[in-house]
Amino acid sequence: MNKLTRAGLGLLMTTAIATAQAEEVRIGMITTLSGGGSHLGVDVRDGFMLAIDQAQRDDIEVLIKDDARRPDLAKTLSNEFLQRDEVDIMTGIIWSNLAMAVVPSVVRQGTFYLSPNAGPSALAGRLCHENYFNVAYQNDNLHGAMGAYMREQGFERPFLMAPNYPAGTDALAGFKHLYEGEVADELYTQLGQTDYAAEIAQIRASDADSLFFFLPGGMGISFMKQWENSGVDMPVFGAAFSFDEIIIKAVGSAAIGAINTSEWAYDLDNEANQAFVEGFRAAYERTPTLYAAQGYDTARLILSALDKAHPDDQDAFREALRQADFASVRGKFRFGPNQHPIQDIFVREVVEGEDGEPTNRLVGLAIEDIQDVYAEQCQM
């Protein structure tokens, strides 16, 4: 059993032992490894650990714990990392409601937090902080890019749907901001919902010409299977969160033809991405998702900053993070003034792969160098 296999089995793992040649850096990862949506956290963890393993450093210790998608548990684990384990850096949270429960306290206490996924608008705007970096996106970005794309494609009456939590409200706000037109209707569902009969009936009864939805994890799987059985004939659009490689394989043929936006695709043609996809497949025997790519980039950013400074020298380490001096798997990457990415967003289509299973294929560019609208609220 190799190191990467062992890393996938435990909820608390150590990846390296400090030696005398360098001062140890402790990284605390709180992510979702059980319950609904756990594959998101598993892929963030596995992408992150792949980068750490490839770096072959012996001065980094990574502690990993499962939040089970519970804000109260995430808060407790965060306090343990800060008070007992005295971590230098924290990362890992998937869900925006958990991020809001944890991140503000962490950064106020002088610890760096790097988000590999959740990007709630409040943390990009009024609650931004010099110790908080988002290495994924601001929640609006992928949805806004799809709004712009659907407008350009001539859709005039989209129906919008998302779960009622911070990432869901950000999703529909982001879509409408760049769609810039009237929508047929918008609907908020329960977080973790599995039965969508009532929502599908409402969509069927509308005069919508298309459907845009954000339902990450198991929610997307449940909805798409029910959507296929409903017989409603309408083009389906979303973001990568509802159409990652694991979700679309679980959905099956119902996912074919769906269009989604992502800041990353496994078939993006750049050297860093090709090496990442090859390494991930070799280590874990599956194709990485967006979440794995974000975890990998988060670790690579940390490693690039550690080459220049230790987190104890906060000013120097913070500046090293801001420089983002690493080769991102997504291609172009830089931080905006609120320490959220400015990056390209791509369009992907779900197609039938060579193995007969659904897979995402890169179609083209949805929007270039997107910056979230909340940066102007950031008084850093």
Side-chain angles (χ1 to χ4, degrees):
M1 184 182 294
N2 63 30
K3 183 191 294 183
L4 289 173
T5 303
R6 292 196 301 271
L9 297 178
L11 300 184
L12 174 61
M13 294 167 287
T14 301
T15 65
I17 300 174
T19 66
Q21 70 182 54
E23 186 177 358
E24 181 183 271
V25 175
R26 281 191 158 190
I27 301 172
M29 175 181 285
I30 299 170
T31 197
T32 303
L33 301 174
S34 63
S38 59
H39 81 267
L40 285 65
V42 168
D43 258 27
V44 160
R45 178 198 66 190
D46 289 353
F48 190 95
M49 298 306 292
L50 177 64
I52 296 294
D53 184 75
Q54 289 175 341
Q56 297 184 335
R57 294 181 62 138
D58 57 7
D59 61 331
I60 299 173
E61 184 180 20
V62 183
L63 307 175
I64 303 180
K65 294 188 177 183
D66 177 19
D67 59 37
R69 212 173 77 179
R70 288 171 42 199
D72 60 332
L73 179 56
K75 183 66 175 174
T76 297
L77 296 175
S78 171
N79 289 336
E80 290 177 0
F81 274 155
L82 293 175
Q83 297 166 16
R84 184 189 65 196
D85 301 311
E86 297 182 341
V87 299
D88 302 289
I89 302 165
M90 286 181 59
T91 188
I93 290 178
I94 299 297
W95 307 92
S96 290
N97 54 331
L98 274 68
M100 292 303 299
V102 168
V103 172
S105 174
V106 169
V107 296
R108 283 198 303 266
Q109 293 181 64
T111 300
F112 289 95
Y113 189 93
L114 281 77
S115 176
N117 192 65
S121 55
L123 296 182
R126 61 185 178 83
L127 295 180
C128 70
H129 193 279
E130 63 180 1
N131 290 340
Y132 173 72
F133 290 78
N134 189 298
V135 198
Y137 41 68
Q138 192 280 315
N139 283 346
D140 294 22
N141 289 165
L142 273 59
H143 312 291
M146 182 55 80
Y149 177 79
M150 289 180 67
R151 183 192 69 232
E152 292 169 0
Q153 296 300 308
F155 290 96
E156 298 179 348
R157 298 183 311 281
F159 192 106
L160 313 183
M161 184 170 67
N164 191 15
Y165 79 119
T169 55
D170 284 351
L172 298 196
F175 180 95
K176 290 185 290 185
H177 176 71
L178 292 182
Y179 178 69
E180 298 177 340
E182 296 295 323
V183 301
D185 206 347
E186 59 185 276
L187 181 62
Y188 287 102
T189 66
Q190 294 298 311
L191 185 63
Q193 184 171 323
T194 58
D195 184 355
Y196 294 92
E199 287 79 7
I200 291 173
Q202 188 170 336
I203 297 167
R204 186 197 304 273
S206 74
D207 65 347
D209 63 0
S210 52
L211 170 65
F212 169 82
F213 74 89
F214 164 63
L215 293 170
M219 293 179 285
I221 296 172
S222 297
F223 174 78
M224 285 301 294
K225 287 184 174 180
Q226 293 167 48
W227 178 259
E228 181 181 38
N229 293 331
S230 74
V232 178
D233 184 17
M234 188 181 296
V236 174
F237 300 85
F241 320 113
S242 305
F243 298 98
D244 68 49
E245 291 299 306
I246 293 174
I247 286 178
I248 61 178
K249 283 178 170 53
V251 169
S253 61
I256 301 293
I259 304 294
N260 63 94
T261 43
S262 176
E263 86 274 25
W264 172 85
Y266 70 80
D267 51 349
L268 269 176
D269 186 15
N270 68 67
E271 184 176 347
N273 190 51
Q274 291 169 352
F276 160 64
V277 173
E278 180 180 346
F280 192 93
R281 285 173 169 166
Y284 303 111
E285 299 182 346
R286 67 182 189 272
T287 296
T289 65
L290 173 72
Y291 308 104
Q294 293 167 178
Y296 188 79
D297 267 2
T298 300
R300 298 256 290 182
L301 171 63
I302 291 171
L303 290 164
S304 73
L306 289 175
D307 285 339
K308 300 176 181 178
H310 189 279
D312 285 348
D313 186 349
Q314 289 209 338
D315 290 342
F317 187 71
R318 187 181 300 114
E319 182 56 33
L321 290 172
R322 285 172 177 160
Q323 291 173 12
D325 186 17
F326 72 105
S328 170
V329 298
R330 67 198 82 174
K332 293 192 299 181
F333 181 97
R334 71 184 193 276
F335 283 118
N338 59 350
Q339 298 174 172
H340 282 61
I342 298 176
Q343 60 191 335
D344 296 344
I345 307 295
F346 302 96
V347 179
R348 310 185 304 182
E349 180 181 6
V350 181
V351 299
E352 184 177 305
E354 294 180 359
D355 59 358
E357 297 289 326
T359 189
N360 281 292
R361 181 185 66 195
L362 184 64
V363 174
L365 187 66
I367 194 166
E368 188 173 12
D369 287 339
I370 191 169
Q371 164 74 66
D372 64 88
V373 299
Y374 303 98
E376 60 189 27
Q377 301 173 19
C378 176
Q379 303 297 317
M380 195 182 300

